[in-house]
Amino acid sequence: MHVRVHLFARYREAAGREQVDLELPEGDDTVEAAWSAVVARHPELAPYRPFTLFAVGHDYVEADHRLKPGDELLLFPPVSGGL
Amino acid sequence: MHVRVHLFARYREAAGREQVDLELPEGDDTVEAAWSAVVARHPELAPYRPFTLFAVGHDYVEADHRLKPGDELLLFPPVSGGL
Amino acid sequence: MNDIFAVVGHPLSPDAIAAQVDEPGAGGVVIFSGVVRNETGGRPVKFLEYEAHAPMAEAKLREIGAAIRARWPGVRRVAMLHRIGRLEIGESSVLIAVSSAHRGEAFEACRYAIDTLKRTVPVWKKEHFEDGEVWVGLQGG
Amino acid sequence: MNDIFAVVGHPLSPDAIAAQVDEPGAGGVVIFSGVVRNETGGRPVKFLEYEAHAPMAEAKLREIGAAIRARWPGVRRVAMLHRIGRLEIGESSVLIAVSSAHRGEAFEACRYAIDTLKRTVPVWKKEHFEDGEVWVGLQGG
């Protein structure tokens, strides 16, 4: 199942890229699975797992959220807008 | 005892003047006495007594406050600044 | 300190008052603007007139500033301006700005400032209607 | 409605946002401005950079606006702007304005707006120092 992952702010800089295209195996379609697949390619992101916000579309999702084919998963560092 | 009384906003308009000069008898030197003396000359102000704020200098005072010779007493309608 | 407390005869500008409380250590600024409404109790208002006893009004504004300093130590700067004279619909009659290190203090202090101003500062408002005028603050007055 | 929720690349102006929430029935406007501080934890800051995921950021700002409408029915207009890109010390990164018939609602809604924005809107801040740069939001990160 194809999923495109977008990296923001420090994650983009740490990985040196803005997006990662994944093929997730059938039955292993959670956000957590996608995170693991990203970290397999970019181990420098591993330490950030406890701080990471996940989103699909305009909504935050939990790590156990199940992705659908063609979903775009957004990986956010802790937000720090406002001031 | 000489006291100058200043009228503001609706009081000034009701009385048709900005100030009233009073001679208060000895021993009758409270703000209340000054108010009564003003009302004796300008009875149109009488109904406003319950709503009136009294001030001397930059401070609000109570009706039983005792005036000193040369004091200027300020008679304020309810304040309505701000918005 | 550089705090500002004044009764003025010119239009009030949020940009200008924000600049007046700007301070390198302040992270948040809260501004309150009181705006002339187009009606009162359903009756259309043409324009307003504000009158102040300016020396005492400015003294009372300074007292409010001092109380804010005592109660919210994180406040950096305070500016309070009240406009007098004729004001048109939509114009700002009062403008208060508070800057602070942490935004909670700026919100609380700014609200305290306008609430206290309305109770203590000698300013009077006259509403002008199509068919007359009324001093505000005394029903049926 | 005419509410405004946007991520923008240009300087923010309190005058402009006050005008955007101006409304004949509104008697009070509360504005919050988040200002770039000159230091963080005692370390001098040269300038800041803000990045946003703009489509979702604007969606989250709209959600905040909808929540305000539901909770404070006296609110007349809401405007929320977040600036991105490079910001100098003293510039405003976020500007929120709420107008309402009664000022209490404007104060509460404006504070709710900035508090919620800081938790939910995907924006990230990078602090630039004399000798390096740091993304904010993760200690030691």
Side-chain angles (χ1 to χ4, degrees):
Chain A
M1 182 177 92
H2 183 77
V3 170
R4 175 164 287 178
V5 179
H6 295 268
L7 306 178
F8 293 87
R10 86 170 69 210
Y11 297 174
R12 182 189 62 247
E13 292 186 358
R17 57 197 300 178
E18 292 194 357
Q19 59 191 53
V20 182
D21 285 313
L22 300 177
E23 287 299 329
L24 293 181
E26 290 301 315
D28 202 15
D29 54 2
T30 63
V31 165
E32 190 72 58
W35 170 266
S36 298
V38 170
V39 166
R41 291 203 226 167
H42 295 284
E44 61 277 16
L45 295 179
Y48 296 123
R49 173 64 186 83
F51 311 106
T52 299
L53 299 167
F54 306 108
V56 175
H58 294 162
D59 295 306
Y60 290 106
V61 295
E62 299 294 326
D64 61 1
H65 176 82
R66 299 184 67 175
L67 298 165
K68 296 189 301 294
D71 267 355
E72 309 212 355
L73 173 64
L74 315 176
L75 299 186
F76 294 159
V79 299
S80 53
L83 62 153
Chain B
M1 181 177 93
H2 183 77
V3 170
R4 175 164 288 179
V5 179
H6 296 268
L7 307 177
F8 293 87
R10 87 171 67 209
Y11 296 175
R12 182 190 61 247
E13 293 188 357
R17 56 195 303 180
E18 293 194 357
Q19 57 191 56
V20 181
D21 285 312
L22 301 176
E23 287 298 329
L24 294 180
E26 291 299 317
D28 202 14
D29 55 2
T30 62
V31 165
E32 190 71 58
W35 170 266
S36 298
V38 170
V39 166
R41 290 205 227 166
H42 296 283
E44 60 276 17
L45 295 178
Y48 297 124
R49 172 65 187 84
F51 312 106
T52 299
L53 299 167
F54 306 108
V56 175
H58 294 162
D59 295 306
Y60 290 106
V61 295
E62 300 294 326
D64 61 2
H65 176 82
R66 300 184 65 174
L67 297 166
K68 294 190 301 294
D71 267 356
E72 310 212 355
L73 173 64
L74 316 177
L75 300 185
F76 293 159
V79 300
S80 54
L83 62 154
Chain C
M1 292 286 261
N2 294 315
D3 287 350
I4 293 173
F5 305 100
V7 173
V8 301
H10 55 73
L12 302 178
S13 150
D15 277 3
I17 204 166
Q20 279 165 337
V21 300
D22 186 24
E23 212 250 33
V29 176
V30 174
I31 300 171
F32 176 79
S33 170
V35 180
V36 177
R37 272 186 269 200
N38 61 352
E39 57 90 29
T40 181
R43 195 174 173 197
V45 172
K46 274 174 66 191
F47 64 93
L48 293 190
E49 238 182 308
Y50 284 93
E51 168 181 337
H53 180 42
M56 181 168 161
E58 294 185 346
K60 289 290 163 195
L61 294 177
R62 285 191 298 271
E63 279 181 22
I64 294 171
I68 286 173
R69 295 279 179 186
R71 186 159 160 192
W72 291 282
V75 164
R76 299 302 184 102
R77 287 198 193 159
V78 180
M80 300 181 71
L81 301 174
H82 204 301
R83 185 174 166 192
I84 55 172
R86 174 176 169 148
L87 274 75
E88 308 301 327
I89 307 301
E91 288 195 304
S92 180
S93 53
V94 61
L95 206 51
I96 299 173
V98 179
S99 63
S100 65
H102 303 288
R103 66 185 181 282
E105 291 186 299
F107 274 106
E108 288 170 20
C110 189
R111 183 153 184 189
Y112 168 84
I114 178 63
D115 288 352
T116 309
L117 179 154
K118 283 179 67 75
R119 285 191 302 104
T120 67
V121 177
V123 176
W124 302 276
K125 173 165 75 171
K126 184 191 255 184
E127 293 171 333
H128 288 258
F129 304 100
E130 199 58 56
D131 57 349
E133 53 189 59
V134 170
W135 284 105
V136 175
L138 200 62
Q139 288 188 331
Chain D
M1 292 283 262
N2 295 319
D3 288 351
I4 293 173
F5 306 101
V7 173
V8 302
H10 55 74
L12 302 179
S13 150
D15 276 4
I17 203 166
Q20 280 165 338
V21 299
D22 185 25
E23 213 251 35
V29 176
V30 174
I31 299 172
F32 175 80
S33 170
V35 181
V36 177
R37 274 187 269 200
N38 62 352
E39 57 89 32
T40 180
R43 194 175 176 197
V45 171
K46 276 173 66 189
F47 64 93
L48 294 189
E49 239 182 306
Y50 284 93
E51 170 183 336
H53 180 40
M56 180 167 161
E58 294 185 346
K60 289 290 163 194
L61 294 175
R62 285 192 297 272
E63 278 181 22
I64 294 169
I68 287 173
R69 295 281 179 186
R71 189 161 159 190
W72 291 282
V75 165
R76 297 304 183 99
R77 285 197 194 159
V78 180
M80 302 182 70
L81 300 174
H82 204 301
R83 184 175 168 193
I84 56 172
R86 175 177 168 148
L87 274 75
E88 309 301 328
I89 307 301
E91 289 194 303
S92 180
S93 55
V94 63
L95 206 51
I96 298 172
V98 179
S99 63
S100 65
H102 302 288
R103 66 186 181 282
E105 291 187 299
F107 273 107
E108 289 172 19
C110 189
R111 182 154 186 189
Y112 168 85
I114 179 61
D115 288 352
T116 309
L117 179 155
K118 284 180 67 76
R119 286 190 304 102
T120 67
V121 176
V123 176
W124 302 276
K125 173 164 74 172
K126 185 191 256 182
E127 292 172 334
H128 288 258
F129 303 102
E130 199 59 57
D131 59 348
E133 53 188 60
V134 170
W135 285 104
V136 175
L138 199 63
Q139 285 190 331

